Amino acid sequence: MPRPRRLDIERLAAAQLAAKLAGASAGRWWKALSRTANSTTSGESLDSLFKEAIESLKVALEVDAVAVLVADDAGRELVARVATGLGEETTLSLGIQAGQGVAGWVLGNRRPLIVADLSKVEVASPGLGGSGLRSIAAVPLMSDDQPLGVIYAGAYERDRFGGTDVSILELVADRLASAMERVELFETERAARLEAERLADRLMRTQAVTARLAATHTVEEVAIALAESLVEGPSGHEIRSTSVWLLENGELAPMSVATSGGEMPRLKSLSLGGDHAIAQVARRNVGLFVADPEEAARRFPALGAAFPDSSLAVVPMMLHGHCLGVLVAVYRRAEEFDAQEREFLSAVVAQVTLALDRARLSAAQVQVAEVSAFFARAAKVLAEGSDLADTLDRLATVAVPALGDICLIDVTDDDGRITRMVARHGDPSRQALVERLGSRYTPEEGGEHPAVTVIRTGETRWSRRVRDEFLRSTTQDDEHLQLTRTLGFRSYISVPLRSDGATLGCITLISTTRSFGPDDVRFVEQLAEQVAAVVHKARRFDIANRTSHILQSTLLPRRLPSVHGLRTHTRYVAAAEELEVGGDFFDVVELPDRRIAFMIGDVSGHDRDAAALMGQLRSAARTLVGRVSSPAAMITALQDTWECLDFDRMATAVFGQIDPENGELALASAGHYPPLLVEADLAGFVPVRPSAPLGVPSRAPVEWRGWLKSDQALLLYTDGAIDERGKGSEQGMLDLAQAAVGSGGRLVDLTAMCDAVVAALPPQRDDDVALLAIKLEA
């Protein structure tokens, strides 16, 4: 019998193996592997499939090792994916080029390969060469004509593999390749879906910013809309805080800040030539993206302290090659700033740049139109003004908001003392704040206020930016400083009022919304010429129309009522004859309930109008005295009817009521000096709290109540009695108290007391003096 050929033996072995694999267990294995392969859609499940496949093959083929090597995208290099029966170091270190070694040959030729004796061929992997395997069967993993990798089985015995083994490996390789194709398809689809979602998110974020910007009209609105939309809009889950810095006159000023958590540090303007990273971005016109939180904290210490563990993006806002400003965005975590995010920021900045350009162009057009119409309106105002105060106030109303937001006009008298004639705000809702500024904080002589410097030097002063240090040096106290901060001073221009070579005062324009430039200075200087002409003309008119003080005396009461239990005495001393008449007045009225109402006051100004208004005010007070219940109610009634009475000036006054039976006393002051309470060798001022002068909006007046004793006298006076202009109010009040005390019995002699007060006055006075003394009868 002939000896069987080796090929027949191999076929027999293959047939036996095939029969074995055809059994029920093999069928179940193949179905499970196919089912797993068909459900594989991710990299994780593909790894599980690979592991299941090689473990099953190892058992099914009864081999010692099985491995799957995956090719790179170009199909030129194999990288180990999974293996069983080989050392871990072999699996991790394997990297085989196409054509190199057994697996490289299979990959390059895209055909199966059986190596009967591994020692007879070149092995690319040192680990595989030292693994003890003696034979290998390897097949490619193919997708159409594209190789995806190689799967091979190895045995410790030589000549272990035949065609059946290769067929089984090819079947498994086909399932694995299908699974790899499916995973790649799913990954591509998933990547496309994620990309679409990112694009949709970017579009939605950009649209949110664009929508906010479309409703803006000013530069400030643009900055605020940008900062808030990035924090509050769809991008708010990423961006924690934003700030917008606009470049103007060589400085980067923080225009708006928005944050969704944490307190934003106080930001200060930066010089464009400085070393700060924000200034460098604006100067170089190149964005800065700091992904590492530690580096962000180092380069931006203030922001890093406020928002730890954050990354930052600093993007310049460019238009026609010029930088308009910088956007700073603080992200909640370490942001990689991929191409998508950078494109989003670039798109946002492009929209903002156009909005800024539109807003600035619109603002410039509006300003030119307003300034062009200003001088025509100013000429009309000059013709309509009734007096100096009215004309200046009208001019100031025209000046805002055409030239600025706040207009202050200070005028000097013959002695160089400064009077704030006008304090006008373009926004009626903020007028009360400016009136406080005008009534309480007139520039002090010798101080650092720009108006004082301008009046002293006769030269214009202005600044593009009002810094906090400047405000501190030019304000009188903390309340004054806080008032300027509340009003939001940003830029100012102070121009002298000059006529015939003399400086008559100063006009100051303040902006709370923009920075003044040289063109603004020229416009204000033109306005100052008209204002100076008005002041000069008013002074000449007042001198030419001095009126006799007889007019004033006829408007005062000829005699006071005789009241049982009460003594009164009055004195009126006119100022020097060459000066105009004033508006000082006093009166005493007996009420139906036997109480006595009394008053003393002073109408602002020294002219015939002041005297006439004094007579009208005294008549109005007499009319109201029987209809109000208290001095405070009298002030409230006069304030409420001030416009109806057509009074166009302010007045200060003290109103009081006294019961002659027991000396019960009530006092209220409308911006007037407090009455003096005099007794034996002692005098003190009644602590009545003054409200605002009549004609100036104020809170409800506060009333003082007490008693006048039989050994005391109450002295009411006008500001001429303390020589306010010559000595100052504080020293004048001390001199008045000293003169009233006198000596001996003169304290209870009202006539002697008034004589002593008048005798202590300087002979040359620039203001009238009115005195009203009251005392209970013994």
Side-chain angles (χ1 to χ4, degrees), residues 86-87 89-96 100-102 118 122-134 152:
L86 298 173
E89 66 281 356
T90 302
T91 303
L92 296 178
S93 63
L94 190 60
I96 302 174
Q100 182 182 14
V102 175
L118 194 61
E122 179 183 358
V123 178
S125 172
L128 180 62
S131 63
L133 297 177
R134 293 293 177 265
Y152 69 83

Side-chain angles (χ1 to χ4, degrees), residues 401-615:
L403 301 181
D405 300 298
I406 300 173
C407 180
L408 307 174
I409 300 179
D410 300 303
V411 177
T412 60
D413 59 16
D414 292 338
D415 295 327
R417 286 186 290 267
I418 300 175
T419 301
R420 178 147 288 169
M421 299 290 294
V422 174
R424 178 63 57 182
H425 199 297
D427 183 357
S429 65
R430 314 211 83 185
Q431 179 59 30
L433 295 175
V434 176
E435 288 177 354
R436 283 179 56 197
L437 191 68
S439 61
R440 297 191 59 182
Y441 296 108
T442 298
E444 296 179 327
E445 295 181 43
E448 296 296 328
H449 195 282
V452 176
T453 304
V454 167
I455 292 173
R456 184 174 63 248
T457 63
E459 298 178 353
T460 298
R461 289 191 65 184
W462 68 286
S463 177
R464 298 180 185 273
R465 173 71 60 176
V466 174
R467 303 185 183 278
D468 196 65
E469 295 79 7
F470 175 82
L471 293 178
R472 288 182 179 276
S473 66
T474 57
T475 50
Q476 300 174 19
D477 53 34
D478 290 341
E479 183 179 355
H480 190 186
L481 174 62
Q482 185 58 43
L483 183 58
T484 59
R485 288 174 174 171
T486 302
L487 287 168
F489 286 14
R490 180 174 175 181
S491 182
Y492 84 94
I493 302 172
S494 291
V495 179
L497 305 177
R498 295 186 59 82
S499 179
D500 291 342
T503 301
L504 309 179
C506 174
I507 180 171
T508 299
L509 269 297
I510 299 167
S511 175
T512 62
T513 57
R514 64 186 183 91
S515 296
F516 287 131
D519 291 339
D520 300 297
V521 175
R522 286 191 290 270
F523 284 129
V524 178
E525 288 177 339
Q526 294 179 48
L527 172 62
E529 293 178 3
Q530 300 194 36
V531 175
V534 171
V535 175
H536 182 65
K537 180 180 178 181
R539 285 187 174 181
R540 289 189 303 168
F541 178 82
D542 290 341
I543 294 174
N545 290 275
R546 291 171 185 159
T547 306
S548 172
H549 292 285
I550 298 175
L551 171 63
Q552 187 175 40
S553 63
T554 59
L555 296 175
L556 293 172
R558 296 184 179 180
R559 59 179 179 273
L560 299 181
S562 178
V563 180
H564 179 72
L566 190 72
R567 293 180 58 191
T568 61
H569 185 76
T570 64
R571 292 291 299 271
Y572 183 87
V573 183
E577 292 184 358
E578 67 269 23
L579 296 180
E580 57 276 14
V581 296
D584 294 20
F585 69 94
F586 56 85
D587 207 350
V588 178
V589 181
E590 185 175 9
L591 301 177
D593 60 357
R594 288 187 51 77
R595 287 181 302 140
I596 303 301
F598 54 90
M599 66 190 77
I600 192 168
D602 186 9
V603 176
S604 64
H606 289 81
D607 51 24
R608 288 180 299 177
D609 289 341
L613 182 57
M614 173 269 289

Side-chain angles (χ1 to χ4, degrees), residues 41-94:
T41 59
S42 66
E44 293 78 4
S45 59
L46 184 62
D47 285 336
S48 299
L49 174 64
F50 284 157
K51 292 178 181 178
E52 179 182 347
I54 63 174
E55 292 293 344
S56 300
L57 279 174
K58 184 179 180 183
V59 174
L61 296 178
E62 296 181 347
V63 294
D64 301 299
V66 180
V68 175
L69 289 76
V70 178
D72 59 11
D73 293 338
R76 297 176 180 176
E77 183 179 13
L78 289 170
V79 178
R81 185 69 173 262
V82 292
T84 179
L86 298 173
E88 181 68 19
E89 66 281 356
T90 302
T91 303
L92 296 178
S93 63
L94 190 60

Side-chain angles (χ1 to χ4, degrees), residues 206-224:
T206 306
Q207 288 176 339
V209 177
T210 304
R212 292 286 292 270
L213 293 176
T216 60
H217 300 89
T218 66
V219 171
E220 287 72 18
E221 289 177 354
V222 171
I224 293 172

Side-chain angles (χ1 to χ4, degrees), residues 314-381:
V314 186
V315 186
M317 297 183 290
M318 306 294 298
L319 181 67
H320 306 313
H322 298 285
C323 182
L324 302 184
V326 171
L327 166 66
V328 179
V330 180
Y331 286 70
R332 295 180 180 277
R333 56 186 178 274
E335 172 67 41
E336 292 301 325
F337 295 111
D338 56 14
Q340 294 291 339
E341 190 63 22
R342 297 193 183 202
E343 288 177 5
F344 163 70
L345 291 175
S346 297
V348 167
V349 166
Q351 293 292 326
V352 172
T353 302
L354 294 176
L356 285 174
D357 187 52
R358 183 183 68 248
R360 287 181 170 177
L361 179 60
S362 176
Q365 291 174 340
V366 170
Q367 183 183 8
V368 169
E370 289 180 347
V371 171
S372 299
F374 167 74
F375 290 105
R377 296 196 302 269
K380 182 180 179 182
V381 164

